[in-house]
Amino acid sequence: MSNCSHCIMKRFNALKTLTHDELERFSDHKTSLIIKKGENIMTEGNSINGLYCIQDGKCKLTKLNTNGKEQIIKFVKGGDILGHRSILSEEPVGLNATALEDMRVCFIPKGDILESIKDNPQFSLNLIKNISLQLSHANTAISQMAQKPVKDRLAETLLSLEEIFGVDNEDCIDVILTREEIANTIGTATESAIRLLSNLKKDGVIDLLGKKIKILNKNTLKNISEGY
Amino acid sequence: MSNCSHCIMKRFNALKTLTHDELERFSDHKTSLIIKKGENIMTEGNSINGLYCIQDGKCKLTKLNTNGKEQIIKFVKGGDILGHRSILSEEPVGLNATALEDMRVCFIPKGDILESIKDNPQFSLNLIKNISLQLSHANTAISQMAQKPVKDRLAETLLSLEEIFGVDNEDCIDVILTREEIANTIGTATESAIRLLSNLKKDGVIDLLGKKIKILNKNTLKNISEGY
DNA sequence: AAAAATAAATGATAAATGTCATAACTAGGA
DNA sequence: TCCTAGTTATGACATTTATCATTTATTTTT
């Protein structure tokens, strides 16, 4: 099995301040998992007894509303960690993490994490910063959901998806989402999302190649996202 | 000047795990402030070099959108603390905190807070839990803003305002908000908020006594908030 | 107390968005 | 390969929500 102290992921995520010894301890206790597309890594309301470190693959973090609709709160990819909020706050998981494609994930037991939190204040601070940043993003999202029309939110979301996932060798945003998932991200009906995507294509701002989306004019998209 | 170790606030908020000595240190360095209605305790984008402990009074936390609209993210009252997210994440303040009435506030310098974070892991954990809880609420808010109609959000907000501020001796929600502020909380136009409040009154679900709002039928309101 | 400014209320209308129906397309399994 | 189920696309229409105009009420200032 691979060794945490050699894992390139440790350079990218909140684990980067861990010492060699700490990483060795993680290695000894970690388990590697394959999560198939559509499966859940974590499920809303469940307890969790460790932290997930995403090696490879993409997933969506969602919340089921009282009206039965799914809201996508955040996208997560290789290098990100999951479950630390729940461990630190000692509360059940707040969101579903569902794989958008097959994923490789490491699970590190809670005990080892808490040990490092106690020993390594810098690690602890990194986790706090991570959660604080998420809170800051969430507040921005509340404001945008509440105040901006659907078209603006779609533009914003497309830019943000390219920011998060980058582009493939054909300059398309490097993630495959259904139209329904896009709608559940911006908070609108699937048909509305489809219609607005078609309009953006007609206006030459984006191109649609099946499920792949290519941004043709980033500036225009940015203007739309700000209401112009 | 009052002494932190005798302050009843210490029993309610995230400071409750501080030792007598720590509270004495806070006392020595703290400053007490009076914030008049309409003034800001903190301002979006500014740096902050301490933590505010609300003694008395209410304030709103807001965010200015790119389209110039104000979004109310959260309400804060006596016993709550402000500014800890910014201190911990070493980032500028993310929200404006504006007094809804005259307030009494204590300011505790950053140095003393960081000292306690280093010495007192339980205090540190309490702050993390506080931020985690805020994140959890924020995610719920995103989902509701994105998926629920204005009427449902208004019902939800009224219930939540009563939850936060309680009721006065006439059973009215114990906070004075303008219709515009209510609209900025649920994310709608002022006229829409007014209209929906009038409808709720006509249906006997609430009563409107000037700016004071009295909830007459909590169950109905709860049903509305869930889309029934 | 009167005047001025601000806030609340309401109607009329326009614009945005959701819902339903249906057709065209796509992808995965028999 | 064909077939089926799911997805995407589009039109027609209903509903929700925003905007503008105006009146009434309330608060603040003089």
Side-chain angles (χ1 to χ4, degrees):
Chain A
M1 192 182 279
S2 61
N3 185 305
C4 291
S5 55
H6 301 144
C7 174
I8 50 157
M9 286 308 151
K10 76 168 203 286
R11 276 193 257 153
F12 299 121
N13 63 29
L15 309 182
K16 67 184 159 207
T17 59
L18 293 172
T19 64
H20 182 81
D21 283 358
E22 286 173 318
L23 288 169
E24 286 294 329
R25 188 178 63 212
F26 282 13
S27 264
D28 291 346
H29 300 152
K30 79 157 199 291
T31 46
S32 292
L33 306 165
I34 299 291
I35 313 282
K36 305 291 282 182
K37 177 177 174 176
E39 287 178 0
N40 271 15
I41 303 178
M42 313 185 306
T43 301
E44 200 178 348
N46 282 8
S47 290
I48 198 180
N49 55 351
L51 175 150
Y52 294 94
C53 185
I54 314 294
Q55 302 299 303
D56 191 50
K58 299 157 188 137
C59 73
K60 58 179 177 182
L61 304 189
T62 67
K63 208 173 166 61
L64 201 61
N65 223 330
T66 42
N67 53 23
K69 290 181 193 163
E70 168 186 292
Q71 177 64 35
I72 297 183
I73 303 287
K74 185 174 150 63
F75 291 97
V76 163
K77 63 173 194 284
D80 290 331
I81 56 174
L82 285 178
H84 50 305
R85 192 204 63 90
S86 179
I87 289 181
L88 289 170
S89 67
E90 293 170 299
E91 277 180 18
V93 170
L95 302 169
N96 302 294
T98 310
L100 294 167
E101 51 186 52
D102 292 356
M103 302 181 79
R104 288 186 305 120
V105 173
C106 285
F107 176 79
I108 299 157
K110 187 172 175 173
D112 292 328
I113 304 295
L114 293 178
E115 197 77 19
S116 285
I117 286 173
K118 202 154 53 91
D119 298 351
N120 186 340
Q122 196 56 45
F123 172 60
S124 188
L125 195 58
N126 258 340
L127 291 177
I128 294 173
K129 282 188 186 179
N130 178 300
I131 295 173
S132 292
L133 197 63
Q134 280 188 56
L135 177 56
S136 175
H137 286 158
N139 285 339
T140 303
I142 292 172
S143 177
Q144 303 209 336
M145 287 295 183
Q147 310 256 14
K148 285 189 175 178
V150 178
K151 188 180 178 185
D152 303 24
R153 270 143 53 195
L154 173 60
E156 172 80 34
T157 294
L158 292 176
L159 289 168
S160 145
L161 285 172
E162 184 171 297
E163 188 79 20
I164 295 169
F165 293 115
V167 294
D168 64 15
N169 48 19
E170 281 176 307
D171 283 335
C172 293
I173 297 172
D174 200 9
V175 65
I176 298 285
L177 298 173
T178 64
R179 298 293 190 255
E180 188 181 9
E181 283 169 329
I182 293 174
N184 290 348
T185 306
I186 64 184
T188 191
T190 306
E191 295 94 324
S192 298
I194 289 172
R195 246 180 269 273
L196 291 168
L197 282 170
S198 299
N199 290 349
L200 287 176
K201 179 179 179 178
K202 210 183 308 169
D203 295 345
V205 184
I206 63 171
D207 202 3
L208 300 172
L209 306 145
K211 286 199 188 16
K212 283 279 185 180
I213 299 173
K214 189 193 294 193
I215 294 179
L216 298 175
N217 191 335
K218 205 177 283 196
N219 269 336
T220 304
L221 218 44
K222 195 156 176 45
N223 285 338
I224 293 171
S225 82
E226 285 169 5
Y228 301 114
Chain B
M1 190 181 282
S2 61
N3 185 306
C4 291
S5 55
H6 301 144
C7 174
I8 50 156
M9 287 308 152
K10 75 168 205 284
R11 276 192 257 156
F12 299 120
N13 64 28
L15 309 181
K16 67 183 159 207
T17 58
L18 292 172
T19 64
H20 182 80
D21 283 358
E22 285 173 318
L23 287 169
E24 286 293 331
R25 189 178 61 213
F26 283 13
S27 263
D28 290 347
H29 299 151
K30 79 156 199 290
T31 46
S32 292
L33 306 165
I34 299 290
I35 313 282
K36 304 291 282 183
K37 178 177 176 179
E39 287 178 358
N40 271 15
I41 303 178
M42 314 186 304
T43 301
E44 200 178 350
N46 282 9
S47 290
I48 198 179
N49 54 351
L51 175 150
Y52 294 94
C53 184
I54 315 294
Q55 302 298 306
D56 191 48
K58 299 157 188 139
C59 74
K60 59 179 178 182
L61 303 189
T62 67
K63 208 172 165 60
L64 201 62
N65 223 331
T66 44
N67 54 23
K69 290 181 192 161
E70 168 186 293
Q71 177 63 35
I72 297 183
I73 303 288
K74 185 172 150 66
F75 291 98
V76 163
K77 64 173 193 285
D80 290 331
I81 55 173
L82 285 179
H84 50 305
R85 192 206 62 91
S86 180
I87 290 182
L88 289 169
S89 68
E90 293 171 299
E91 276 180 20
V93 171
L95 303 170
N96 303 295
T98 310
L100 293 168
E101 51 186 49
D102 292 357
M103 302 182 77
R104 289 187 304 119
V105 173
C106 285
F107 176 79
I108 299 156
K110 186 172 173 172
D112 293 328
I113 303 297
L114 293 178
E115 199 77 18
S116 285
I117 286 173
K118 202 154 52 90
D119 298 351
N120 186 340
Q122 197 54 45
F123 173 60
S124 189
L125 194 59
N126 257 341
L127 291 177
I128 293 173
K129 282 188 185 178
N130 179 300
I131 295 173
S132 292
L133 197 63
Q134 280 189 56
L135 178 57
S136 175
H137 286 159
N139 285 338
T140 303
I142 292 173
S143 177
Q144 303 209 336
M145 287 294 183
Q147 309 257 15
K148 286 190 175 175
V150 178
K151 188 180 180 185
D152 303 25
R153 271 144 51 196
L154 173 60
E156 172 79 34
T157 294
L158 292 176
L159 289 168
S160 145
L161 284 172
E162 185 171 297
E163 187 79 21
I164 295 169
F165 293 114
V167 294
D168 64 14
N169 48 18
E170 281 177 309
D171 282 336
C172 293
I173 298 173
D174 199 10
V175 64
I176 299 286
L177 297 173
T178 64
R179 299 292 190 255
E180 188 180 10
E181 284 169 329
I182 293 174
N184 290 348
T185 306
I186 64 184
T188 191
T190 306
E191 296 94 325
S192 299
I194 289 173
R195 246 181 269 273
L196 291 168
L197 282 169
S198 299
N199 290 349
L200 287 176
K201 180 179 179 178
K202 208 182 310 169
D203 296 345
V205 184
I206 63 172
D207 202 3
L208 299 173
L209 305 146
K211 286 200 189 14
K212 284 279 185 181
I213 299 173
K214 190 192 295 193
I215 294 179
L216 299 174
N217 191 333
K218 207 177 282 198
N219 269 336
T220 305
L221 217 46
K222 194 154 175 49
N223 285 337
I224 293 171
S225 82
E226 285 169 4
Y228 302 112

